[in-house]
Amino acid sequence: MKKLLLLVAAVFFAMTSNAQIVSSTSRNITHTTYEIEDEDQEKKNIFGIDLNVGKMGAKNEYSDEKDSAGAFGLGLYFEHRYSKYFAWDILSVGWDAPFDSPSNFDRVTVKTGVRAFTPKFFKNMRGYANFAFGYAACLMKVPEIVEHSYYVAGTRYHSGYWNRWTTKEEGDFEAYHGAAIEFGFGLHLTKRLSAGYAFDWDSKSKYKGHYFRFGLMF
C-alpha cells in the first residue's frame, strides 16, 4: 500500500513539474515573439529613396523664375528615429534636372534635417513633416545670348541686363554654390511607401522647386 501511495505521489509530482515547464516555455516564446514584432514596427534606422516629379525655376542673370520647367529628381537619405514621433535625417543627398534638357542644368544637394510624425490613424498610415538645410551646387549651361548684345569697357550687355561673367560664352557652364533649404509634408501609406509634397530652395541661384514626392523606405 505504501509503495502504491509513493508511486501515485511521484506521478503527480512529475505531471505538475512538467506543466510548469511547458507554461514557462510558452510565456517565454510569446514574449520573444512580441519583442520581434515590436522591433519591426518601430525600426530605428531607415534608409530611404525619394522620387520627385514637379516644376523648377531659377532667377539669375541667365534665367527668370517665371520661365519654370517640368523637372524630376532623385534623393537618398539615412534616418535615425528617436521615437514614434521624431527622427533625425542624418544625411540626405539629392539630384534634380529639367525634363527637356537635363544636360543643360544639374543640381546636387547635401543636407541634414529633422522629421516629425503623427500617430497612426488607419492601419500603418500616418502623416509626416520634414525640414532640412545644407549645401547646393548648380551647374548651368550658358544659354544663347540675346541679339544686340554689345561690350562697353570689357563688360557685356544685352537687353539692358549686365552679365558679370565676361569670360563665359554661349555653351559654357557656370556653377552656383550656396545654402539650401527644404521642407515637405505627406503620408506614410504603409511601413515602406510614402507620398507627399516637397519645396526646395537655394540662396545663390534663387532656385525654387515644387515636387510631388514618392518614397520607398527600407
Side-chain angles (χ1 to χ4, degrees), residues 3 22 28 56 70 95 100 105 131 150-151 177-178 199 202:
K3 291 182 178 180
V22 171
N28 290 337
M56 66 186 297
W95 168 84
D100 57 352
F105 183 96
F131 173 81
Y150 54 93
Y151 287 84
H177 305 272
F199 171 78
D202 71 60

Side-chain angles (χ1 to χ4, degrees), residues 188-207:
H188 284 189
L189 304 176
T190 69
K191 288 187 288 186
R192 303 290 181 228
L193 299 175
S194 66
Y197 163 81
F199 171 78
D200 209 349
W201 174 87
D202 71 60
S203 61
K204 186 64 177 179
S205 67
K206 301 300 185 291
Y207 165 96

Side-chain angles (χ1 to χ4, degrees), residues 30-74:
T30 302
H31 180 69
T32 303
T33 303
Y34 172 79
E35 288 182 346
I36 291 173
E37 290 177 352
D38 186 66
E39 182 182 356
D40 182 62
Q41 290 174 357
E42 300 302 331
K43 193 174 179 180
K44 296 297 183 182
N45 296 313
I46 303 294
F47 173 73
I49 302 174
D50 288 330
L51 175 63
N52 304 320
V53 179
K55 276 192 170 185
M56 66 186 297
K59 189 175 183 180
N60 47 55
E61 284 84 350
Y62 294 129
S63 61
D64 192 322
E65 185 184 355
K66 296 179 181 179
D67 298 328
S68 59
F72 66 101
L74 182 68

Side-chain angles (χ1 to χ4, degrees), residues 18-200:
N18 186 59
Q20 290 177 350
I21 292 172
V22 171
S23 176
S24 177
T25 303
S26 177
R27 285 196 300 270
N28 290 337
I29 292 174
T30 302
H31 180 69
T32 303
T33 303
Y34 172 79
E35 288 182 346
I36 291 173
E37 290 177 352
D38 186 66
E39 182 182 356
D40 182 62
Q41 290 174 357
E42 300 302 331
K43 193 174 179 180
K44 296 297 183 182
N45 296 313
I46 303 294
F47 173 73
I49 302 174
D50 288 330
L51 175 63
N52 304 320
V53 179
K55 276 192 170 185
M56 66 186 297
K59 189 175 183 180
N60 47 55
E61 284 84 350
Y62 294 129
S63 61
D64 192 322
E65 185 184 355
K66 296 179 181 179
D67 298 328
S68 59
F72 66 101
L74 182 68
L76 305 175
Y77 66 91
F78 180 73
E79 170 189 314
H80 178 75
R81 294 181 181 175
Y82 289 96
S83 71
K84 296 179 181 179
Y85 307 112
F86 180 78
W88 174 26
D89 288 346
I90 298 174
L91 180 66
S92 64
V93 179
W95 168 84
D96 51 281
F99 279 115
D100 57 352
S101 55
S103 61
N104 291 343
F105 183 96
D106 292 280
R107 181 172 177 269
V108 177
T109 60
V110 179
K111 302 172 189 167
T112 187
V114 294
R115 192 176 297 253
F117 308 98
T118 67
K120 294 179 181 178
F121 51 84
F122 180 72
K123 294 185 178 180
N124 285 311
M125 291 181 64
R126 61 178 175 175
Y128 77 87
N130 73 290
F131 173 81
F133 63 94
Y135 166 80
C138 300
L139 188 63
M140 187 179 72
K141 192 173 185 179
V142 176
E144 181 180 355
I145 303 302
V146 179
E147 61 181 13
H148 306 304
S149 61
Y150 54 93
Y151 287 84
V152 176
T155 300
R156 182 172 62 198
Y157 293 84
H158 66 86
S159 298
Y161 293 99
W162 170 63
N163 286 327
R164 62 186 178 85
W165 296 289
T166 56
T167 61
K168 297 294 180 183
E169 301 295 337
E170 177 187 342
D172 291 342
F173 281 89
E174 179 63 29
Y176 296 88
H177 305 272
I181 293 176
E182 172 196 320
F183 70 83
F185 57 87
L187 287 175
H188 284 189
L189 304 176
T190 69
K191 288 187 288 186
R192 303 290 181 228
L193 299 175
S194 66
Y197 163 81
F199 171 78
D200 209 349

